[in-house]
Amino acid sequence: MNIVVTSSKQHKKPSLEEAFQAFNQVSQHLTDSYQQLEQQVVVLSEALKQSNSEKIQYLSDKDALASQLEGLIEAIPGALIVLDEQQKIVKVNACARHWFGNSLLGQQWSQLRSSILTYQGERTEQFVLHNGKTVALSMKALSGQSGQVVLLSDITHQQELTQQLEHKKKLADMGQFSASLAHQIRTPLASALLYASQLSSDTLNAEAQQKFSTKLLDRLRVLNSQVTDMLNYSHSGDFVKQPNKLTAFVHTLKDLYHGKKVYFDMGDFSEATTIHISHDALIGAISNLLDNALEASGSNNDVLCSIQVIEDNNLKIVVKDQGRGLSLEQQEKIFKPFYTDKTNGTGLGLAVVSNVVNAHKGRVKCESNIGVGTTMEVQLPVVISTHENNAERS
């Protein structure tokens, strides 16, 4: 029995040592793992710190950029208005608040536009504000999102500069024309003086007096036409318009060309037909067309002048000759000031025609063929009363 017990104790002792060894190994492994974990924590902490620093820098840069963009938007020298998909105002800059007040947010753009903007002439993108400024309007869809951005730019100064430039150009043109006019007037004036001096002679018979009188009137008419062209051109389309009977207008034209080779073809309009025109300016413009047609036709061909009312309120006047015709190059230049192919022309006749037609919101066009003749057509929306309209009123 004693031997068995002793043998058992000797067997258990190595197992305890092994357990301690295993424990020590596990402890060492845990220690090593903890150290590795600490190292990883340090690395991850540094990475997180770096990431946080970069994120903070990114957010800071983003805030700075947003602040810079906000400052740029506020500093834009024009009214910037941002609209949402319902066309409501969601953002404005300092200029917009200065021009239109501080209560813009939430308003409908269409209502604001109708209350603050007034169309300027025929330029649909230019408007006049209540403070007298002239602005250019531009709209563009926001990229990548719904809504639009509206920009109103002050172009008052540019317009003033443009007007000054046009005025200086006109002064230069008038200087050029004055020199030309002095040269052109000299010949008919000298002729008129000669014919007038002959009329005072007691030796002339009635037939000779009539001959010199006719020539004198013809020279004076040329002088009057040249001076009238200059005056009408200087008006730049600013003519006073009044109601005139169309029949009276036609009679004036017929009287001016009585005895000349002009055939008048009248349309079907009544005595009551009234047109809103600058009488003298329009008579002068049509006279320019007729004079050109007569000169081009020579003495063997008649000139046709057709006058009719079309499309209710449009006055259509056509002057047709059978002259030498115009080339395409000439047709492109004839309405430009001071362009002429005549030895005694001022180059203002058709420029005046264009000014007068534009002042009446009309249009003029030329159709011509070399060797066939030229047709000048004028359409003016100036008819304000006709026989039919009067019948409806009664």
Side-chain angles (χ1 to χ4, degrees):
M1 292 297 290
N2 290 333
I3 294 174
V4 172
V5 171
T6 301
S7 176
S8 174
K9 289 180 179 179
Q10 289 175 349
H11 176 73
K12 290 181 179 177
K13 186 174 180 179
S15 299
L16 185 58
E17 290 177 353
E18 292 175 355
F20 275 113
Q21 289 177 0
F23 177 77
N24 288 333
Q25 291 176 355
V26 171
S27 296
Q28 185 62 41
H29 179 71
L30 289 173
T31 300
D32 293 342
S33 297
Y34 180 74
Q35 289 177 350
Q36 292 178 0
L37 183 60
E38 281 187 327
Q39 292 175 356
Q40 291 180 359
V41 168
V42 171
V43 172
L44 291 174
S45 296
E46 288 297 326
L48 181 61
K49 183 179 179 181
Q50 179 66 25
S51 177
N52 286 337
S53 177
E54 291 176 353
K55 186 174 182 180
I56 290 172
Q57 184 63 41
Y58 170 76
L59 293 175
S60 176
D61 291 344
K62 188 175 180 180
D63 288 342
L65 180 60
S67 177
Q68 184 180 14
L69 289 176
E70 184 70 22
L72 289 174
I73 290 174
E74 288 293 302
I76 289 176
L80 186 75
I81 301 174
V82 181
L83 312 176
D84 64 10
E85 60 272 17
Q86 281 84 34
Q87 295 288 290
K88 286 186 177 180
I89 300 174
V90 294
K91 186 175 181 59
V92 296
N93 69 345
C95 185
R97 292 190 295 272
H98 176 67
W99 285 359
F100 312 127
N102 296 318
S103 58
L104 297 176
L105 298 182
Q107 290 190 40
Q108 285 290 143
W109 165 242
S110 58
Q111 295 178 353
L112 178 66
R113 174 172 174 164
S114 62
S115 63
I116 63 174
L117 301 180
T118 303
Y119 280 108
Q120 183 187 49
E122 298 179 356
R123 298 293 297 275
T124 57
E125 75 280 3
Q126 292 186 7
F127 300 85
V128 178
L129 302 181
H130 56 81
N131 58 9
K133 292 181 181 294
T134 301
V135 296
L137 182 147
S138 58
M139 296 183 68
K140 189 173 184 180
L142 292 172
S143 178
Q145 53 185 311
S146 59
Q148 290 180 302
V149 61
V150 179
L151 179 63
L152 295 169
S153 305
D154 186 359
I155 59 171
T156 306
H157 184 59
Q158 291 93 315
Q159 279 211 331
E160 290 174 351
L161 291 177
T162 300
Q163 291 173 356
Q164 291 176 13
L165 180 61
E166 290 177 350
H167 180 65
K168 289 180 179 179
K169 181 179 181 298
K170 189 150 203 173
L171 288 177
D173 288 344
M174 291 305 295
Q176 177 185 349
F177 172 67
S178 298
S180 173
L181 184 65
H183 175 73
Q184 299 299 333
I185 285 179
R186 184 180 302 164
T187 300
L189 182 59
S191 299
L193 290 173
L194 176 62
Y195 297 141
S197 65
Q198 293 295 325
L199 285 174
S200 62
S201 174
D202 295 332
T203 61
L204 290 179
N205 56 34
E207 182 180 354
Q209 286 184 343
Q210 181 63 38
K211 177 182 176 181
F212 284 125
S213 295
T214 302
K215 289 184 176 181
L216 175 61
L217 289 174
D218 186 57
R219 295 298 89 194
L220 291 176
R221 187 171 181 273
V222 170
L223 288 171
N224 181 68
S225 175
Q226 292 175 339
V227 173
T228 300
D229 282 350
M230 183 180 68
L231 292 175
N232 285 340
Y233 181 70
S234 66
H235 275 293
S236 298
D238 185 18
F239 300 103
V240 177
K241 305 178 191 67
Q242 294 178 337
N244 288 261
K245 293 296 183 183
L246 180 54
T247 52
F249 175 83
V250 171
H251 288 155
T252 301
L253 269 181
K254 286 185 174 181
D255 289 343
L256 285 174
Y257 290 90
H258 178 72
K260 297 183 180 293
K261 299 179 73 64
V262 178
Y263 172 72
F264 287 91
D265 179 21
M266 300 296 101
D268 185 18
F269 53 84
S270 70
E271 291 283 340
T273 302
T274 304
I275 52 178
H276 191 252
I277 60 169
S278 173
H279 181 273
D280 292 344
L282 191 55
I283 287 290
I286 304 305
S287 295
N288 264 311
L289 298 181
L290 289 171
D291 290 343
N292 288 343
L294 286 169
E295 185 175 347
S297 296
S299 58
N300 297 324
N301 297 310
D302 288 342
V303 170
L304 171 66
C305 180
S306 168
I307 301 176
Q308 55 185 312
V309 175
I310 61 171
E311 299 172 357
D312 295 334
N313 70 331
N314 278 300
L315 177 63
K316 180 179 177 182
I317 303 175
V318 177
V319 175
K320 183 176 182 180
D321 66 54
Q322 302 176 58
R324 58 185 178 274
L326 301 171
S327 67
L328 290 177
E329 182 182 1
Q330 288 175 312
Q331 293 179 51
E332 292 174 356
K333 297 178 179 179
I334 55 175
F335 292 107
K336 294 181 180 180
F338 309 111
Y339 171 77
T340 181
D341 57 357
K342 303 174 184 177
T343 57
N344 62 341
T346 63
L348 277 185
L350 291 180
V352 169
V353 172
S354 180
N355 277 359
V356 172
V357 170
N358 290 336
H360 290 81
K361 308 298 182 185
R363 61 184 180 86
V364 56
K365 67 176 182 178
C366 171
E367 293 182 1
S368 186
N369 293 291
I370 298 294
V372 178
T374 301
T375 299
M376 305 293 292
E377 179 182 307
V378 174
Q379 285 198 34
L380 308 169
V382 296
V383 180
I384 58 176
S385 174
T386 63
H387 177 73
E388 288 77 8
N389 291 338
N390 290 338
E392 289 175 2
R393 293 189 185 98
S394 60

